[in-house]
Amino acid sequence: MSNPLGKVVSKPKGRRLVISDIHGCSQSLQALLEKVKLSDDDQLFFLGDYVNKGPRNREVLDLLIELDKQSNTFFVLGNHDLILLEYFTSEDDQRKAQLEELNGSVFFDLPDSEKAKYVNFLGDLHHYFISDEFILVHAGFNFNLQNPFLGREDMLNVRSFYYDGSKAMNKTIIHGHYPHPKSEIEQAIDEYQKVIPLDNGCVYYKDREEMGELLCLNLDSMELISQQNVD
């Protein structure tokens, strides 16, 4: 499949690991990575929404940029990441107001070198990855489209969608974007459903029932590794 929005990634010798929706929780991410114990043979996929809402948005991006220097890390763009990217590239007042409301004002008034660092990272992100029997995306797909893999807005923003096996090539979709109770996530994994959510709303620790953990799914064993919010 040739598509500039996505990329097909070959299976590695090691594990395929997926983390979703960090939202500025850098210490939680670091704690989760310590549990995961990433090896050189593993692949690590991130499903977007790295910034906004949480307390340490720049720290998350800085950590991901360091991880990006390794060839075994892959990042998709989330809707919150796009807000930041569009602010950096246009300085639009509406985007600035959104960032301020979402606890993203730490990105205001940065020196040009810092802006360029974040723009280079965010501007190079894909909208989805295909890894053998899995499709990894931030939000999901609109299967009413003739080619759902061209639905840029849907891949960033859709909150619910039906599954079309023929258009999805019978692959399992792993997505984030919309927080789900951990029991629903675990059920989807245990039943090996064709659509598996992975966002447990780490940033909503103590605010929403059954939420507040940053999750990592091992695609090869379907093991879920979790880290409670420590930010």
Side-chain angles (χ1 to χ4, degrees):
M1 176 180 296
S2 176
N3 187 319
L5 297 180
K7 183 177 180 180
V8 177
V9 180
S10 300
K11 287 181 68 174
K13 294 180 181 179
R15 301 169 297 174
R16 293 172 295 168
L17 305 161
V18 187
I19 296 174
S20 174
D21 292 76
I22 302 164
H23 277 302
C25 295
S26 66
Q27 293 183 358
S28 303
L29 174 58
Q30 288 176 321
L32 180 58
L33 291 174
E34 289 176 6
K35 289 183 178 181
V36 168
K37 293 180 171 54
L38 194 67
S39 79
D40 291 339
D41 291 330
D42 295 332
Q43 288 176 343
L44 180 57
F45 295 88
F46 291 91
L47 298 186
D49 276 4
Y50 311 115
V51 299
N52 293 340
K53 300 184 180 181
R56 299 179 176 86
N57 292 294
R58 283 192 66 187
E59 289 88 339
V60 168
L61 284 187
D62 290 341
L63 176 56
L64 297 182
I65 288 170
E66 286 302 309
L67 286 171
D68 193 31
K69 295 175 181 177
Q70 306 174 31
S71 60
N72 58 352
T73 50
F74 304 87
F75 307 86
V76 301
L77 185 71
N79 58 303
H80 283 271
D81 314 314
L82 181 61
I83 292 172
L84 179 60
L85 179 61
E86 290 182 344
Y87 166 72
F88 279 142
T89 54
S90 69
E91 295 194 0
D92 178 77
D93 288 340
Q94 181 180 358
R95 290 308 194 201
K96 184 174 183 178
Q98 285 180 294
L99 285 175
E100 190 165 21
E101 183 179 349
L102 292 165
N103 200 32
S105 57
V106 67
F107 294 108
F108 299 164
D109 304 318
L110 293 180
D112 289 343
S113 60
E114 288 295 292
K115 287 183 183 179
K117 177 178 70 172
Y118 297 137
V119 168
N120 289 339
F121 174 70
L122 296 172
D124 198 37
L125 303 187
H126 290 85
H127 283 61
Y128 69 90
F129 290 101
I130 296 177
S131 175
D132 200 39
E133 73 272 39
F134 295 99
I135 304 172
L136 311 174
V137 66
H138 175 61
F141 294 96
N142 179 3
F143 286 109
N144 290 316
L145 299 177
Q146 183 175 0
N147 184 351
F149 295 95
L150 295 177
R152 185 192 304 262
E153 292 298 318
D154 297 299
M155 286 187 273
L156 290 173
N157 296 296
V158 68
R159 287 194 166 224
S160 62
F161 60 96
Y162 76 93
Y163 177 84
D164 185 326
S166 60
K167 291 182 177 179
M169 301 165 285
N170 203 37
K171 298 180 185 294
T172 299
I173 296 171
I174 312 291
H175 72 93
H177 181 57
Y178 187 70
H180 285 68
K182 191 176 181 183
S183 59
E184 291 184 10
I185 296 173
E186 291 174 330
Q187 181 179 2
I189 294 169
D190 291 343
E191 296 176 357
Y192 205 83
Q193 296 176 11
K194 282 299 185 180
V195 177
I196 296 177
L198 202 54
D199 179 10
N200 186 235
C202 179
V203 75
Y204 297 121
Y205 177 59
K206 292 185 177 179
D207 291 333
R208 299 187 185 181
E209 187 177 356
E210 271 202 87
M211 294 188 186
E213 296 184 27
L214 191 61
L215 304 179
C216 177
L217 179 62
N218 182 333
L219 297 182
D220 300 287
S221 66
M222 299 308 283
E223 173 194 6
L224 193 64
I225 306 167
S226 62
Q227 172 60 52
Q228 189 180 78
N229 187 320
V230 291
D231 287 89

PDB file of all heavy atoms in Angstrom, residues 163-186:
ATOM      1  N   TYR A 163     -16.535  -1.141  12.203  1.00  0.00           N
ATOM      2  CA  TYR A 163     -15.385  -1.829  11.611  1.00  0.00           C
ATOM      3  C   TYR A 163     -15.804  -2.502  10.315  1.00  0.00           C
ATOM      4  O   TYR A 163     -16.786  -3.251  10.277  1.00  0.00           O
ATOM      5  CB  TYR A 163     -14.847  -2.861  12.593  1.00  0.00           C
ATOM      6  CG  TYR A 163     -13.696  -3.701  12.064  1.00  0.00           C
ATOM      7  CD1 TYR A 163     -12.393  -3.235  12.128  1.00  0.00           C
ATOM      8  CD2 TYR A 163     -13.925  -4.955  11.507  1.00  0.00           C
ATOM      9  CE1 TYR A 163     -11.334  -3.996  11.650  1.00  0.00           C
ATOM     10  CE2 TYR A 163     -12.874  -5.727  11.024  1.00  0.00           C
ATOM     11  CZ  TYR A 163     -11.586  -5.241  11.093  1.00  0.00           C
ATOM     12  OH  TYR A 163     -10.543  -5.996  10.623  1.00  0.00           O
ATOM     13  N   ASP A 164     -15.061  -2.244   9.257  1.00  0.00           N
ATOM     14  CA  ASP A 164     -15.281  -2.868   7.955  1.00  0.00           C
ATOM     15  C   ASP A 164     -14.070  -3.741   7.663  1.00  0.00           C
ATOM     16  O   ASP A 164     -12.999  -3.239   7.308  1.00  0.00           O
ATOM     17  CB  ASP A 164     -15.465  -1.803   6.883  1.00  0.00           C
ATOM     18  CG  ASP A 164     -15.830  -2.384   5.515  1.00  0.00           C
ATOM     19  OD1 ASP A 164     -15.349  -3.491   5.184  1.00  0.00           O
ATOM     20  OD2 ASP A 164     -16.584  -1.734   4.782  1.00  0.00           O
ATOM     21  N   GLY A 165     -14.236  -5.038   7.818  1.00  0.00           N
ATOM     22  CA  GLY A 165     -13.122  -5.961   7.660  1.00  0.00           C
ATOM     23  C   GLY A 165     -12.504  -5.944   6.285  1.00  0.00           C
ATOM     24  O   GLY A 165     -11.283  -6.101   6.138  1.00  0.00           O
ATOM     25  N   SER A 166     -13.318  -5.737   5.245  1.00  0.00           N
ATOM     26  CA  SER A 166     -12.778  -5.743   3.886  1.00  0.00           C
ATOM     27  C   SER A 166     -11.879  -4.533   3.667  1.00  0.00           C
ATOM     28  O   SER A 166     -10.793  -4.641   3.085  1.00  0.00           O
ATOM     29  CB  SER A 166     -13.913  -5.760   2.859  1.00  0.00           C
ATOM     30  OG  SER A 166     -14.741  -4.614   3.005  1.00  0.00           O
ATOM     31  N   LYS A 167     -12.289  -3.355   4.152  1.00  0.00           N
ATOM     32  CA  LYS A 167     -11.470  -2.155   3.977  1.00  0.00           C
ATOM     33  C   LYS A 167     -10.294  -2.124   4.950  1.00  0.00           C
ATOM     34  O   LYS A 167      -9.269  -1.488   4.673  1.00  0.00           O
ATOM     35  CB  LYS A 167     -12.326  -0.903   4.134  1.00  0.00           C
ATOM     36  CG  LYS A 167     -13.331  -0.716   2.998  1.00  0.00           C
ATOM     37  CD  LYS A 167     -14.122   0.570   3.157  1.00  0.00           C
ATOM     38  CE  LYS A 167     -15.067   0.754   1.979  1.00  0.00           C
ATOM     39  NZ  LYS A 167     -15.884   1.995   2.108  1.00  0.00           N
ATOM     40  N   ALA A 168     -10.451  -2.794   6.084  1.00  0.00           N
ATOM     41  CA  ALA A 168      -9.360  -2.855   7.068  1.00  0.00           C
ATOM     42  C   ALA A 168      -8.439  -4.040   6.828  1.00  0.00           C
ATOM     43  O   ALA A 168      -7.545  -4.306   7.640  1.00  0.00           O
ATOM     44  CB  ALA A 168      -9.928  -2.922   8.477  1.00  0.00           C
ATOM     45  N   MET A 169      -8.668  -4.754   5.726  1.00  0.00           N
ATOM     46  CA  MET A 169      -7.848  -5.916   5.371  1.00  0.00           C
ATOM     47  C   MET A 169      -7.869  -6.971   6.469  1.00  0.00           C
ATOM     48  O   MET A 169      -6.913  -7.726   6.666  1.00  0.00           O
ATOM     49  CB  MET A 169      -6.402  -5.474   5.066  1.00  0.00           C
ATOM     50  CG  MET A 169      -6.307  -4.482   3.926  1.00  0.00           C
ATOM     51  SD  MET A 169      -4.704  -3.647   3.842  1.00  0.00           S
ATOM     52  CE  MET A 169      -4.850  -2.495   5.224  1.00  0.00           C
ATOM     53  N   ASN A 170      -8.971  -6.987   7.228  1.00  0.00           N
ATOM     54  CA  ASN A 170      -9.185  -7.926   8.337  1.00  0.00           C
ATOM     55  C   ASN A 170      -8.146  -7.773   9.444  1.00  0.00           C
ATOM     56  O   ASN A 170      -7.936  -8.677  10.259  1.00  0.00           O
ATOM     57  CB  ASN A 170      -9.208  -9.375   7.843  1.00  0.00           C
ATOM     58  CG  ASN A 170      -9.972 -10.278   8.808  1.00  0.00           C
ATOM     59  OD1 ASN A 170     -10.975  -9.870   9.397  1.00  0.00           O
ATOM     60  ND2 ASN A 170      -9.495 -11.503   8.986  1.00  0.00           N
ATOM     61  N   LYS A 171      -7.490  -6.627   9.488  1.00  0.00           N
ATOM     62  CA  LYS A 171      -6.490  -6.372  10.514  1.00  0.00           C
ATOM     63  C   LYS A 171      -7.146  -5.774  11.756  1.00  0.00           C
ATOM     64  O   LYS A 171      -8.226  -5.185  11.702  1.00  0.00           O
ATOM     65  CB  LYS A 171      -5.399  -5.422   9.986  1.00  0.00           C
ATOM     66  CG  LYS A 171      -4.620  -6.006   8.804  1.00  0.00           C
ATOM     67  CD  LYS A 171      -3.565  -5.037   8.322  1.00  0.00           C
ATOM     68  CE  LYS A 171      -2.863  -5.551   7.077  1.00  0.00           C
ATOM     69  NZ  LYS A 171      -2.071  -6.775   7.338  1.00  0.00           N
ATOM     70  N   THR A 172      -6.493  -5.923  12.894  1.00  0.00           N
ATOM     71  CA  THR A 172      -6.975  -5.388  14.160  1.00  0.00           C
ATOM     72  C   THR A 172      -6.503  -3.950  14.324  1.00  0.00           C
ATOM     73  O   THR A 172      -5.313  -3.655  14.155  1.00  0.00           O
ATOM     74  CB  THR A 172      -6.466  -6.233  15.337  1.00  0.00           C
ATOM     75  OG1 THR A 172      -6.966  -7.566  15.198  1.00  0.00           O
ATOM     76  CG2 THR A 172      -6.926  -5.652  16.667  1.00  0.00           C
ATOM     77  N   ILE A 173      -7.422  -3.059  14.659  1.00  0.00           N
ATOM     78  CA  ILE A 173      -7.113  -1.640  14.814  1.00  0.00           C
ATOM     79  C   ILE A 173      -6.847  -1.335  16.288  1.00  0.00           C
ATOM     80  O   ILE A 173      -7.675  -1.628  17.156  1.00  0.00           O
ATOM     81  CB  ILE A 173      -8.272  -0.769  14.297  1.00  0.00           C
ATOM     82  CG1 ILE A 173      -8.459  -0.987  12.794  1.00  0.00           C
ATOM     83  CG2 ILE A 173      -8.016   0.712  14.610  1.00  0.00           C
ATOM     84  CD1 ILE A 173      -9.702  -0.345  12.229  1.00  0.00           C
ATOM     85  N   ILE A 174      -5.696  -0.760  16.567  1.00  0.00           N
ATOM     86  CA  ILE A 174      -5.349  -0.292  17.912  1.00  0.00           C
ATOM     87  C   ILE A 174      -5.368   1.233  17.870  1.00  0.00           C
ATOM     88  O   ILE A 174      -4.684   1.834  17.047  1.00  0.00           O
ATOM     89  CB  ILE A 174      -3.946  -0.775  18.348  1.00  0.00           C
ATOM     90  CG1 ILE A 174      -3.774  -2.286  18.086  1.00  0.00           C
ATOM     91  CG2 ILE A 174      -3.701  -0.437  19.815  1.00  0.00           C
ATOM     92  CD1 ILE A 174      -4.619  -3.173  18.961  1.00  0.00           C
ATOM     93  N   HIS A 175      -6.132   1.854  18.770  1.00  0.00           N
ATOM     94  CA  HIS A 175      -6.259   3.313  18.716  1.00  0.00           C
ATOM     95  C   HIS A 175      -6.305   3.911  20.117  1.00  0.00           C
ATOM     96  O   HIS A 175      -6.517   3.217  21.121  1.00  0.00           O
ATOM     97  CB  HIS A 175      -7.533   3.710  17.952  1.00  0.00           C
ATOM     98  CG  HIS A 175      -8.806   3.430  18.704  1.00  0.00           C
ATOM     99  ND1 HIS A 175      -9.420   4.380  19.501  1.00  0.00           N
ATOM    100  CD2 HIS A 175      -9.574   2.320  18.789  1.00  0.00           C
ATOM    101  CE1 HIS A 175     -10.517   3.856  20.036  1.00  0.00           C
ATOM    102  NE2 HIS A 175     -10.630   2.612  19.621  1.00  0.00           N
ATOM    103  N   GLY A 176      -6.109   5.217  20.159  1.00  0.00           N
ATOM    104  CA  GLY A 176      -6.213   5.977  21.404  1.00  0.00           C
ATOM    105  C   GLY A 176      -7.299   7.018  21.293  1.00  0.00           C
ATOM    106  O   GLY A 176      -8.414   6.715  20.910  1.00  0.00           O
ATOM    107  N   HIS A 177      -6.969   8.273  21.661  1.00  0.00           N
ATOM    108  CA  HIS A 177      -7.797   9.463  21.451  1.00  0.00           C
ATOM    109  C   HIS A 177      -8.900   9.654  22.476  1.00  0.00           C
ATOM    110  O   HIS A 177      -9.028  10.731  23.056  1.00  0.00           O
ATOM    111  CB  HIS A 177      -8.389   9.450  20.041  1.00  0.00           C
ATOM    112  CG  HIS A 177      -9.241  10.644  19.736  1.00  0.00           C
ATOM    113  ND1 HIS A 177      -8.764  11.942  19.844  1.00  0.00           N
ATOM    114  CD2 HIS A 177     -10.533  10.746  19.314  1.00  0.00           C
ATOM    115  CE1 HIS A 177      -9.729  12.788  19.500  1.00  0.00           C
ATOM    116  NE2 HIS A 177     -10.798  12.094  19.186  1.00  0.00           N
ATOM    117  N   TYR A 178      -9.725   8.628  22.678  1.00  0.00           N
ATOM    118  CA  TYR A 178     -10.878   8.780  23.558  1.00  0.00           C
ATOM    119  C   TYR A 178     -10.715   7.858  24.762  1.00  0.00           C
ATOM    120  O   TYR A 178     -10.624   6.639  24.596  1.00  0.00           O
ATOM    121  CB  TYR A 178     -12.167   8.438  22.803  1.00  0.00           C
ATOM    122  CG  TYR A 178     -13.426   8.729  23.570  1.00  0.00           C
ATOM    123  CD1 TYR A 178     -13.811  10.046  23.808  1.00  0.00           C
ATOM    124  CD2 TYR A 178     -14.220   7.700  24.062  1.00  0.00           C
ATOM    125  CE1 TYR A 178     -14.967  10.325  24.516  1.00  0.00           C
ATOM    126  CE2 TYR A 178     -15.366   7.965  24.773  1.00  0.00           C
ATOM    127  CZ  TYR A 178     -15.744   9.281  24.997  1.00  0.00           C
ATOM    128  OH  TYR A 178     -16.892   9.560  25.697  1.00  0.00           O
ATOM    129  N   PRO A 179     -10.672   8.404  25.994  1.00  0.00           N
ATOM    130  CA  PRO A 179     -10.408   7.567  27.176  1.00  0.00           C
ATOM    131  C   PRO A 179     -11.486   6.512  27.408  1.00  0.00           C
ATOM    132  O   PRO A 179     -12.680   6.793  27.293  1.00  0.00           O
ATOM    133  CB  PRO A 179     -10.390   8.582  28.328  1.00  0.00           C
ATOM    134  CG  PRO A 179     -10.155   9.907  27.692  1.00  0.00           C
ATOM    135  CD  PRO A 179     -10.795   9.834  26.339  1.00  0.00           C
ATOM    136  N   HIS A 180     -11.034   5.318  27.730  1.00  0.00           N
ATOM    137  CA  HIS A 180     -11.931   4.197  28.051  1.00  0.00           C
ATOM    138  C   HIS A 180     -11.598   3.658  29.443  1.00  0.00           C
ATOM    139  O   HIS A 180     -10.426   3.652  29.844  1.00  0.00           O
ATOM    140  CB  HIS A 180     -11.765   3.061  27.041  1.00  0.00           C
ATOM    141  CG  HIS A 180     -12.380   3.330  25.704  1.00  0.00           C
ATOM    142  ND1 HIS A 180     -11.887   4.292  24.835  1.00  0.00           N
ATOM    143  CD2 HIS A 180     -13.454   2.763  25.080  1.00  0.00           C
ATOM    144  CE1 HIS A 180     -12.630   4.290  23.734  1.00  0.00           C
ATOM    145  NE2 HIS A 180     -13.585   3.377  23.862  1.00  0.00           N
ATOM    146  N   PRO A 181     -12.602   3.186  30.175  1.00  0.00           N
ATOM    147  CA  PRO A 181     -12.324   2.509  31.451  1.00  0.00           C
ATOM    148  C   PRO A 181     -11.400   1.326  31.221  1.00  0.00           C
ATOM    149  O   PRO A 181     -11.471   0.661  30.179  1.00  0.00           O
ATOM    150  CB  PRO A 181     -13.716   2.059  31.918  1.00  0.00           C
ATOM    151  CG  PRO A 181     -14.678   2.952  31.210  1.00  0.00           C
ATOM    152  CD  PRO A 181     -14.046   3.264  29.882  1.00  0.00           C
ATOM    153  N   LYS A 182     -10.555   1.046  32.185  1.00  0.00           N
ATOM    154  CA  LYS A 182      -9.571  -0.007  32.006  1.00  0.00           C
ATOM    155  C   LYS A 182     -10.235  -1.364  31.785  1.00  0.00           C
ATOM    156  O   LYS A 182      -9.728  -2.192  31.019  1.00  0.00           O
ATOM    157  CB  LYS A 182      -8.634  -0.082  33.211  1.00  0.00           C
ATOM    158  CG  LYS A 182      -7.418  -0.977  32.958  1.00  0.00           C
ATOM    159  CD  LYS A 182      -6.455  -0.950  34.121  1.00  0.00           C
ATOM    160  CE  LYS A 182      -5.235  -1.821  33.846  1.00  0.00           C
ATOM    161  NZ  LYS A 182      -4.298  -1.869  34.984  1.00  0.00           N
ATOM    162  N   SER A 183     -11.374  -1.603  32.416  1.00  0.00           N
ATOM    163  CA  SER A 183     -12.059  -2.891  32.244  1.00  0.00           C
ATOM    164  C   SER A 183     -12.494  -3.098  30.795  1.00  0.00           C
ATOM    165  O   SER A 183     -12.452  -4.220  30.276  1.00  0.00           O
ATOM    166  CB  SER A 183     -13.270  -2.987  33.171  1.00  0.00           C
ATOM    167  OG  SER A 183     -14.204  -1.945  32.914  1.00  0.00           O
ATOM    168  N   GLU A 184     -12.902  -2.024  30.111  1.00  0.00           N
ATOM    169  CA  GLU A 184     -13.301  -2.135  28.711  1.00  0.00           C
ATOM    170  C   GLU A 184     -12.087  -2.425  27.829  1.00  0.00           C
ATOM    171  O   GLU A 184     -12.171  -3.203  26.874  1.00  0.00           O
ATOM    172  CB  GLU A 184     -13.991  -0.855  28.248  1.00  0.00           C
ATOM    173  CG  GLU A 184     -15.359  -0.630  28.885  1.00  0.00           C
ATOM    174  CD  GLU A 184     -16.053   0.595  28.313  1.00  0.00           C
ATOM    175  OE1 GLU A 184     -15.557   1.156  27.295  1.00  0.00           O
ATOM    176  OE2 GLU A 184     -17.073   1.010  28.880  1.00  0.00           O
ATOM    177  N   ILE A 185     -10.979  -1.785  28.150  1.00  0.00           N
ATOM    178  CA  ILE A 185      -9.749  -2.033  27.394  1.00  0.00           C
ATOM    179  C   ILE A 185      -9.302  -3.481  27.574  1.00  0.00           C
ATOM    180  O   ILE A 185      -8.966  -4.170  26.601  1.00  0.00           O
ATOM    181  CB  ILE A 185      -8.650  -1.056  27.854  1.00  0.00           C
ATOM    182  CG1 ILE A 185      -9.059   0.384  27.527  1.00  0.00           C
ATOM    183  CG2 ILE A 185      -7.307  -1.404  27.203  1.00  0.00           C
ATOM    184  CD1 ILE A 185      -8.128   1.434  28.093  1.00  0.00           C
ATOM    185  N   GLU A 186      -9.304  -3.946  28.808  1.00  0.00           N
ATOM    186  CA  GLU A 186      -8.895  -5.324  29.084  1.00  0.00           C
ATOM    187  C   GLU A 186      -9.820  -6.323  28.411  1.00  0.00           C
ATOM    188  O   GLU A 186      -9.364  -7.358  27.893  1.00  0.00           O
ATOM    189  CB  GLU A 186      -8.861  -5.551  30.588  1.00  0.00           C
ATOM    190  CG  GLU A 186      -7.737  -4.802  31.287  1.00  0.00           C
ATOM    191  CD  GLU A 186      -7.789  -4.905  32.799  1.00  0.00           C
ATOM    192  OE1 GLU A 186      -8.911  -5.029  33.355  1.00  0.00           O
ATOM    193  OE2 GLU A 186      -6.729  -4.855  33.440  1.00  0.00           O
TER     194      GLU A 186
END
